[in-house]
Amino acid sequence: FDSRNYQLSYQSMVSPPSTLSYNIDSRSLETLKVVEVVGYDSSQYETVRLFATAGDGTRVPMSVVYKKGIKLDGKNPCHLYGYGSYGIGMPASFSSARLSLLNRGYVYVIAHIRGGNELGETWRADGKLKKKMNTFTDFIACADHLIGSGYTSSDLLSMEGGSAGGLLMGAVLNLRQGLVKAAIVKVPFVDVINTMLDESLPLTVAEFEEWGNPKVKADYDYIRTYSPYENLQRRDYPAILVKSAFYDSQVMYW
């Protein structure tokens, strides 16, 4: 309690992780360490915060990063990432692996859709149970905004999500034809009803609070509106890469 200094960490989509020391008396901030990224020059990149407008008028934030000099002419490839479940927010953090995309002209975007915690407990509550559809329509609104603002086009837009974010991918692919060119779908939770009916699985009972209990008719009827497994259609889908694992105890490979 007598310390006059405390340490904190900082990063952004253009700033590698750093450790700083703040002196309470002098109100001065000193950089102690910055993670070295060989050959990286932060001045060549730019990050912005955009807002899409959902169907109910809610403003949905997006974190965007790209290499400086792009034109908003709809000709940029763009990769849109989302999750939106369990109150887990997606931080606007730095990734050295992402630089490979940025250096090839990609715009990289994190959609902070409802179901996460980015804007508090209400943001989480408005993206679960019988408001879960907001998660999916928020993501679609983000994609539409990027296209409408000239950051990309449907032919140059890809999207990615894993686990509950894989459910997001599946729902969006069913809800909106022609929105994206490709989707990366990792260990996707796409068989929601059958999974949530199996109480022998380790997560099922606890997750009634997230998805609802399909043994309750009202919950079943709502889940049925978005569960990707039950909403597949006989039509063209974009290129899809699905990754799964035989021994995943949380999301079954089928």
Side-chain angles (χ1 to χ4, degrees), residues 154-172:
S154 291
D155 287 338
L156 293 170
L157 178 61
S158 57
M159 64 180 184
E160 179 181 355
S163 194
L167 164 60
L168 168 69
M169 297 295 100
V172 169

Side-chain angles (χ1 to χ4, degrees), residues 6-81:
Y6 70 88
Q7 292 186 4
L8 58 140
S9 60
Y10 170 79
Q11 62 180 302
S12 76
M13 297 186 84
V14 297
S15 306
S18 59
T19 303
L20 305 100
S21 177
Y22 181 75
N23 184 276
I24 296 172
D25 296 323
S26 64
R27 297 188 178 185
S28 60
L29 194 63
E30 177 186 3
T31 300
L32 302 180
K33 179 179 175 63
V34 178
V35 172
E36 182 181 7
V37 180
V38 177
Y40 176 67
D41 179 3
S42 62
S43 67
Q44 296 185 33
Y45 304 87
E46 186 168 2
T47 183
V48 296
R49 170 66 44 77
L50 300 177
F51 288 89
T53 302
D56 61 0
T58 300
R59 298 177 77 229
V60 183
M62 293 177 280
S63 296
V64 184
V65 64
Y66 49 84
K67 196 165 186 179
K68 288 182 178 178
I70 68 166
K71 297 179 181 179
L72 301 182
D73 55 6
K75 297 180 180 180
N76 305 298
C78 179
H79 193 63
L80 178 61
Y81 180 85

Side-chain angles (χ1 to χ4, degrees), residues 8 35-36 68 72 90 94 98 125 153 166 176 185 242 254:
L8 58 140
V35 172
E36 182 181 7
K68 288 182 178 178
L72 301 182
M90 294 294 105
F94 183 83
R98 186 190 299 145
S153 65
R176 184 68 175 275
V185 187
V242 181
W254 55 79

Side-chain angles (χ1 to χ4, degrees), residues 130-192:
K130 291 184 176 62
K131 295 183 178 181
K132 189 63 198 170
M133 191 63 78
N134 287 334
T135 301
F136 316 132
T137 53
D138 281 1
F139 191 87
I140 292 171
C142 289
D144 283 338
H145 184 87
L146 292 168
I147 294 168
S149 300
Y151 280 90
T152 190
S153 65
S154 291
D155 287 338
L156 293 170
L157 178 61
S158 57
M159 64 180 184
E160 179 181 355
S163 194
L167 164 60
L168 168 69
M169 297 295 100
V172 169
L173 286 167
N174 284 330
L175 286 168
R176 184 68 175 275
Q177 185 174 4
L179 181 65
V180 299
K181 185 70 171 180
I184 300 173
V185 187
K186 298 179 177 178
V187 291
F189 180 48
V190 288
D191 193 7
V192 183

Side-chain angles (χ1 to χ4, degrees), residues 170-222:
V172 169
L173 286 167
N174 284 330
L175 286 168
R176 184 68 175 275
Q177 185 174 4
L179 181 65
V180 299
K181 185 70 171 180
I184 300 173
V185 187
K186 298 179 177 178
V187 291
F189 180 48
V190 288
D191 193 7
V192 183
I193 291 177
N194 287 323
T195 301
M196 293 303 296
L197 284 171
D198 186 353
E199 295 183 14
S200 70
L201 296 174
L203 299 181
T204 295
V205 174
E207 295 202 1
F208 287 157
E209 295 184 3
E210 182 74 21
W211 314 105
N213 182 353
K215 292 180 180 178
V216 177
K217 186 179 186 304
D219 290 354
Y220 174 92
D221 290 343
Y222 188 79

